[in-house]
Amino acid sequence: MYACPLCNGLKSINLNCPNCQQVMDNQGRTVDFMGDYIPYLEYEGTKLIDGELNSTQDHTCLHLFYCTSCNQQLNVPIQEIR
Ligand SMILES: [Zn+2]
Ligand SMILES: [Zn+2]
């Protein structure tokens, strides 16, 4: 059984906005905002480099982060833990 540490309040992460370096707010799971439909991903990490969403297969939980300074939104896959 895997669980997302952010969803379960086990830890929080500080993510800096790629635009203005402000600390971004964790808005919760991306699916809670968009339902089943996720139009596009802005995360520029290695995991989603080919635009694939593998949140179930590789045990990551996609979270939406929001920058209140410049209105930047970022989808970040959080590694789930046992
Ligand atoms: Zn989560
Ligand atoms: Zn920003």
Side-chain angles (χ1 to χ4, degrees):
M1 182 77 183
Y2 287 83
C4 170
L6 257 62
C7 286
N8 291 280
L10 297 176
K11 74 174 190 181
S12 59
I13 63 169
N14 285 328
L15 194 77
N16 291 321
C17 174
N19 276 347
C20 65
Q21 312 307 318
Q22 294 293 311
V23 177
M24 300 182 84
D25 280 341
N26 175 21
Q27 302 287 291
R29 294 165 70 219
T30 302
V31 288
D32 289 342
F33 284 83
M34 300 180 179
D36 293 330
Y37 178 66
I38 298 173
Y40 62 96
L41 298 169
E42 294 182 16
Y43 180 67
E44 296 176 1
T46 51
K47 258 199 164 89
L48 296 172
I49 199 147
D50 50 7
E52 240 178 284
L53 180 61
N54 288 325
S55 57
T56 49
Q57 290 97 321
D58 61 2
H59 301 288
T60 56
C61 178
L62 201 62
H63 277 256
L64 183 67
F65 284 80
Y66 178 70
C67 176
T68 52
S69 299
C70 69
N71 298 322
Q72 172 92 350
Q73 285 187 336
L74 212 59
N75 290 297
V76 181
I78 306 299
Q79 188 69 51
E80 296 186 337
I81 56 173
R82 284 208 235 224

